[in-house]
Amino acid sequence: MPVVIRIHIMRLVILDNANQVADWSARYIVKRIRDFNPGPDRYFVLGLPTGGTPAGTYKKLVEHYKEGNISFKYVKTFNMDEYVGLPRDHPESYHSYMWNHLFKHIDIHPENVNLLDGTCSDLEAECARYEAKIAEAGGIELFMGGIGPDGHVAFNEPGSSLVSRTRVKTLNQDTIQANARFFDNDISKVPTRALTVGVGTVMDANEVLILITGQHKAYALHQAIEEGVNHMWTVSAFQQHPKTIMVCDEDATLELKVKTVKYFKSLHQVHQRLIEEEVCSSDKAHGNATRNGYTASGHGDKATGS
Amino acid sequence: MPVTQFKNCRILRDHELVREDLWVENGRIINPEELFYVQKRPPAFQVDCRGSIVAPGFIDVQINGGFGYDFSFDEDKTEEAVSVVARGLLAHGVTSFLPTVITSTPETYRKVLPRLNKRPGGEDGAGVLGAHLEGPFISREKKGAHPVQHIRPLEKGFETVKEVYGCLDNVAMVTLAPELENACDAVEGLTERGIVVSTGHSAGSIMDGERAFKSGARFMTHLFNAMTKFHHRDPGIIGMLTSKRLPLHELYYGIISDGIHTHPAALRIAYKTHPNGLCLVTDAVAPMGLGSGRHHIGDMDVVIEGERALIEGTDTLCGSIVTMDGCIRHFMHSARCTTVEALEAASLHPATALGITAQKGTLEYGSDADFVMLSDDVFVRATYIAGRQVFAAPGQAFIHEPVQ
């Protein structure tokens, strides 16, 4: 009987700037996919965000693809959210974002790409369909996301249930104001609702990778890791996820205790090994039978005996 | 239908060269996002364009012949002439053209016009958009190389036009002199039929030109050549390039930029004055495309030396033998314009003048997949019509790899 040892750990990888965050996160994703060794019978299921922060990661992923380091042939994707009522081909839709930032540059098969449809007539059915699709795909192996200045992940804004599932959300005023610049600065053109995966949906993923860059996110990062789990800062839910990596730049640490920053910076070597280390041959042999744990010192993944 | 994805290229879109892939299905350019998200289909073929520039196929609205054939004089061999010229033009990146017939007799028009059918392009050659009838309603003083005995007036305006030409079905453009009496009636009649009227071979004044434009004319035939010389107190129809009384964005003009028929300074003046209306034309004659040396064309003996075609034994040019891609390169060099501007002068502008931009002259979604693969210095690597490679320069063919 295999004994699965799970060590719950939150990693905070602190890098110098947003470019390094993009580079590290892209390398991590490439390595995770390669180590997983996906094939026609077992796809790597990746959860994806939109926004300013991940744009850099996507750029680097495209470079890796072009250099032949990674193929997306056996990767399935699920995006976090999409506006309600915006046509799919609107330049501000998340379908357009993902096409232009990632999908059009890589070898992913269109059948393996999943986004919420904000134009359908029965939004609740669409949300249920999406959850079912995720389950059908075997669950999400790695969910990448960003956070808002108010600590929201996807469109799970302050006050969202921490066990929420995919649903329709009404956007709050701050979000709508922030978005106006993408809609000719005309508030009336900005969508007021969105379909979003829930906090619970992301928590179901095997691993969560959160990117946080910039001073305006600093307070949210503080709330996320130094304060308690709190539905007013929904990203704090990941403190209870078994495998979370948060990747941030210096500016995003400005509201953290010096002690916290010093501690995670001291783990720099460990964090570098996460993106450089060669996979052990034993992992390949055991495939996806076990859930990998990380030791505190990060000495590779150890598959348990069978 | 199988989709082909052209990668590793720079395409001309929205007045810029952008690093984007071009997607083609069933002879048209398609929106890849729709294919990806709605149809959920990958491409069937991929083509590595080796960093080429992809421009819309070139459109020549004034070409009298080539490769030894003349549309006006070879009236018994019209189909053959069109066939040979259409095929030969593919090497120059031309995907659509207007075979041009100069001043002729009504008998000739009745013989030739019905055979100049509009036809789509393909592996056999560039497409025919219609005939360009240059004359016989032109100025005797500004006849150029036209036979003076066949020049005639517009006695009854548009009625005369119909009497002389016969059936107008295959006609896309007519050049006439706006100062002729009843010209405006002719212009109105032709414009109503959807035929583009061009002012040219004219001794008229700027007022004559403006009257014609108010009646519906919107093109000018080989600017500077065979028209009243520009004078600072009497600009002639050339002055219309800056006319306020016309909607300027609708005025288009052909210009022969072979480095011979128009002085580079004149080219620059036209370009700087009204760049958006500038359309490159070859006005090529039968010896075009034949190699250097002596050729017998019609009843003429012609000698080709480099880029010039001379009447044998003289220094007289017998017309232009420039190719369209040659025109573009000359234009870029003389006008010192951008690559995009030069390419648009050979594609977008003539298409707009003819009112066919929905299908030709651009690489917009939904338009016909007629395009040219070019090197950075604008030499033709390959020509595509309806998404099929109909010409490739020696050693330059593009491979359509099936996607696994």
Side-chain angles (χ1 to χ4, degrees), chain B residues 83-367:
Chain B
S83 207
V84 170
V85 172
R87 189 186 292 270
L89 288 179
L90 296 177
H92 310 156
V94 173
T95 54
S96 303
F97 68 108
L98 302 188
T100 305
V101 178
I102 65 168
T103 296
S104 304
T105 63
E107 291 72 44
T108 302
Y109 291 121
R110 270 158 186 72
K111 221 175 182 177
V112 170
L113 268 180
R115 294 195 177 87
L116 290 174
N117 295 306
K118 298 182 184 182
R119 62 172 224 198
E123 275 155 358
D124 294 332
V128 174
L129 298 170
H132 177 175
L133 301 182
E134 191 187 7
F137 310 110
I138 56 174
S139 158
R140 300 178 88 85
E141 294 166 48
K142 298 292 181 185
K143 63 176 173 59
H146 290 220
V148 65
Q149 68 275 25
H150 300 312
I151 294 175
R152 55 174 71 222
L154 288 160
E155 289 125 354
K156 291 178 275 171
F158 186 52
E159 278 308 307
T160 311
V161 170
K162 287 192 285 190
E163 274 167 29
V164 171
Y165 291 149
C167 178
L168 291 173
D169 288 350
N170 291 339
V171 179
M173 190 182 278
V174 168
T175 294
L176 51 77
E179 70 273 20
L180 298 182
E181 214 174 315
N182 304 317
C184 289
D185 184 66
V187 174
E188 274 166 26
L190 286 162
T191 306
E192 239 177 291
R193 292 282 308 250
I195 294 171
V196 175
V197 178
S198 181
T199 56
H201 284 275
S202 163
S205 68
I206 186 170
M207 298 297 297
D208 294 320
E210 288 181 352
R211 261 195 295 273
F213 269 75
K214 288 224 186 79
S215 303
R218 53 178 194 270
F219 205 81
M220 295 177 69
T221 298
H222 47 55
L223 191 78
F224 298 124
N225 302 108
M227 52 180 66
T228 312
K229 289 199 211 316
F230 180 85
H231 185 281
H232 51 283
R233 280 191 295 274
D234 181 11
I237 59 175
I238 295 170
M240 288 202 296
L241 248 56
T242 62
S243 284
K244 259 198 210 152
R245 291 187 234 180
L246 326 166
L248 192 62
H249 63 275
E250 281 183 24
L251 188 162
Y252 291 86
Y253 57 96
I255 201 160
I256 306 171
S257 83
D258 61 346
I260 299 164
H261 281 75
T262 314
H263 191 282
L267 200 55
R268 278 193 291 275
I269 286 174
Y271 163 68
K272 282 180 186 297
T273 307
H274 184 29
N276 291 341
L278 197 152
C279 299
L280 296 173
V281 301
T282 60
D283 200 18
V285 291
M288 182 275 281
L290 303 176
S292 292
R294 201 174 161 274
H295 303 277
H296 185 80
I297 315 265
D299 55 2
M300 272 206 305
D301 286 319
V302 168
V303 176
I304 295 179
E305 282 171 21
E307 293 183 322
R308 293 167 173 265
L310 307 167
I311 297 175
E312 192 183 25
T314 74
D315 281 331
T316 310
L317 292 169
C318 67
S320 140
I321 54 165
V322 73
T323 64
M324 183 55 92
D325 58 316
C327 266
I328 296 171
R329 290 189 296 271
H330 274 297
F331 178 58
M332 277 177 70
H333 185 252
S334 303
R336 304 170 202 145
C337 64
T338 64
T339 309
V340 166
E341 286 173 315
L343 293 173
E344 287 186 338
S347 57
L348 176 65
H349 296 173
T352 315
L354 294 172
I356 56 174
T357 48
Q359 305 95 35
K360 308 282 187 202
T362 74
L363 298 177
E364 295 297 316
Y365 302 142
S367 65

Side-chain angles (χ1 to χ4, degrees), chain A residues 116-160:
Chain A
L116 284 154
D117 177 4
T119 63
C120 66
S121 45
D122 189 345
L123 296 173
E124 275 172 27
E126 169 64 7
C127 293
R129 178 197 74 85
Y130 204 67
E131 288 277 346
K133 205 84 204 282
I134 294 173
E136 194 191 341
I140 292 172
E141 178 63 28
L142 174 63
F143 217 134
M144 176 170 66
I147 61 172
D150 57 4
H152 73 247
V153 60
F155 275 120
N156 295 289
E157 306 198 311
S160 295

Side-chain angles (χ1 to χ4, degrees), chain A:
Chain A
M1 178 93 171
V3 175
V4 178
I5 297 167
R6 288 194 191 129
I7 297 170
H8 295 207
I9 185 158
M10 158 96 69
R11 291 199 182 285
L12 179 64
V13 179
I14 302 175
L15 301 167
D16 293 341
N17 53 48
N19 187 55
Q20 285 191 358
V21 169
D23 187 72
W24 196 98
S25 53
R27 284 183 196 280
Y28 187 74
I29 292 172
V30 168
K31 183 170 177 348
R32 280 286 268 116
I33 296 173
R34 289 173 62 127
D35 288 354
F36 187 90
N37 198 21
D41 306 315
R42 75 191 270 272
Y43 281 75
F44 188 97
V45 186
L46 188 57
L48 296 175
T50 54
T53 309
T57 310
Y58 290 137
K59 198 151 179 246
K60 302 278 184 191
L61 281 174
V62 171
E63 282 170 27
H64 282 290
Y65 166 72
K66 292 203 162 132
E67 282 162 26
N69 299 338
I70 185 71
S71 162
F72 291 85
K73 194 167 176 194
Y74 299 116
V75 173
K76 285 189 178 165
T77 64
F78 284 87
N79 263 73
M80 283 183 150
D81 40 23
E82 177 60 285
Y83 288 115
V84 168
L86 211 57
R88 176 199 46 79
D89 56 4
H90 190 285
E92 292 304 321
S93 80
Y94 288 167
H95 281 75
S96 293
Y97 176 102
M98 290 308 300
W99 170 254
N100 285 309
H101 282 82
L102 187 63
F103 298 144
K104 79 175 178 192
H105 304 283
I106 59 175
D107 64 342
I108 194 162
H109 197 288
E111 298 261 6
N112 294 332
V113 160
N114 295 280
L115 283 101
L116 284 154
D117 177 4
T119 63
C120 66
S121 45
D122 189 345
L123 296 173
E124 275 172 27
E126 169 64 7
C127 293
R129 178 197 74 85
Y130 204 67
E131 288 277 346
K133 205 84 204 282
I134 294 173
E136 194 191 341
I140 292 172
E141 178 63 28
L142 174 63
F143 217 134
M144 176 170 66
I147 61 172
D150 57 4
H152 73 247
V153 60
F155 275 120
N156 295 289
E157 306 198 311
S160 295
S161 156
L162 296 180
V163 293
S164 50
R165 311 302 306 186
T166 304
R167 65 215 188 288
V168 186
K169 281 290 279 182
T170 304
L171 306 183
N172 68 28
Q173 265 313 109
D174 287 342
T175 305
I176 293 175
Q177 291 278 18
N179 283 347
R181 71 186 192 273
F182 299 122
F183 292 87
D184 301 325
N185 280 314
D186 183 354
I187 282 278
S188 67
K189 287 190 181 155
V190 184
T192 56
R193 292 186 304 164
L195 298 181
T196 180
V197 294
V199 181
T201 318
V202 183
M203 284 290 284
D204 279 354
N206 281 353
E207 184 174 3
V208 177
L209 176 69
I210 304 284
L211 310 183
I212 308 115
T213 57
Q215 189 183 351
H216 58 303
K217 304 284 174 78
Y219 194 69
L221 179 58
H222 156 71
Q223 285 290 140
I225 65 172
E226 288 183 329
E227 298 294 344
V229 175
N230 184 330
H231 70 166
M232 298 311 285
W233 301 88
T234 49
V235 69
S236 64
F238 299 119
Q239 288 178 27
Q240 301 210 290
H241 188 284
K243 195 170 169 192
T244 296
I245 302 184
M246 298 207 173
V247 190
C248 69
D249 63 356
E250 283 284 348
D251 284 349
T253 65
L254 287 171
E255 293 286 347
L256 297 180
K257 289 196 173 67
V258 175
K259 184 171 76 173
T260 310
V261 176
K262 280 194 165 169
Y263 170 68
F264 283 110
K265 275 191 170 175
S266 74
L267 296 172
H268 180 76
Q269 297 284 42
V270 168
H271 296 158
Q272 280 308 109
R273 276 207 291 278
L274 287 177
I275 57 171
E276 283 161 15
E277 195 165 354
E278 277 303 295
V279 66
C280 310
S281 54
S282 58
D283 287 311
K284 274 193 176 149
H286 290 284
N288 64 346
T290 57
R291 194 165 171 158
N292 293 326
Y294 278 69
T295 64
S297 61
H299 281 140
D301 299 345
K302 287 205 169 106
T304 56
S306 51

